[in-house]
Amino acid sequence: CNQNQIMDPLVLVPWLFLGQALLSTFVCLIRPDFNIVVGLLCYYWWKTEEKNKENMRKVQLLVIGAIAFDLLWLLLVGTTWTRSASRDEFIWEKLRKFHYLAILFT
């Protein structure tokens, strides 16, 4: 592979979808996560469908929808996961670093 071929979006984008799916496999251990399905579906569409405007639009809408749902989740749950735990919630405090990782990778 030469440098131009690596930077070609037709080569790079499927790897980004697989990277998203890989990160999502770890995030789904911490919280329910649909991004693994989105990443794999986009990868499949990218590799099997003809590269025309209609099919690329499907991929774009799916990714935008996933980002919107992640932002909504972050707005609804983010403050609960990052707040200080009371002294009776030591298990919640032990999970804090995993919550931050899930928020980071979401």
Side-chain angles (χ1 to χ4, degrees):
C1 285
N2 62 26
Q3 185 67 23
N4 290 337
Q5 187 178 14
I6 292 173
M7 297 307 291
D8 180 16
L10 294 177
V11 174
L12 185 63
V13 169
W15 286 104
L16 293 175
F17 289 139
L18 285 178
Q20 173 194 3
L22 181 65
L23 277 177
S24 296
T25 57
F26 296 111
V27 173
C28 74
L29 296 174
I30 303 165
R31 75 171 186 108
D33 193 15
F34 55 87
N35 287 329
I36 186 171
V37 176
V38 171
L40 292 175
L41 183 60
C42 287
Y43 176 80
Y44 172 77
W45 277 347
W46 193 272
K47 290 300 237 182
T48 60
E49 297 290 324
E50 185 180 329
K51 308 291 186 291
N52 60 34
K53 276 188 171 183
E54 181 183 332
N55 290 331
M56 294 301 108
R57 188 74 177 152
K58 285 192 300 190
V59 171
Q60 286 175 337
L61 290 174
L62 189 59
V63 169
I64 290 169
I67 291 170
F69 278 118
D70 281 339
L71 289 174
L72 179 65
W73 176 85
L74 190 58
L75 287 172
L76 295 174
V77 180
T79 56
T80 304
W81 276 29
T82 57
R83 70 175 169 80
S84 294
S86 69
R87 62 186 174 104
D88 297 331
E89 298 174 323
F90 77 94
I91 291 175
W92 193 260
E93 193 64 39
K94 295 283 185 189
L95 293 173
R96 178 174 304 283
K97 57 186 157 214
F98 296 112
H99 291 166
Y100 282 126
L101 277 175
I103 290 170
L104 175 69
F105 289 136
T106 295

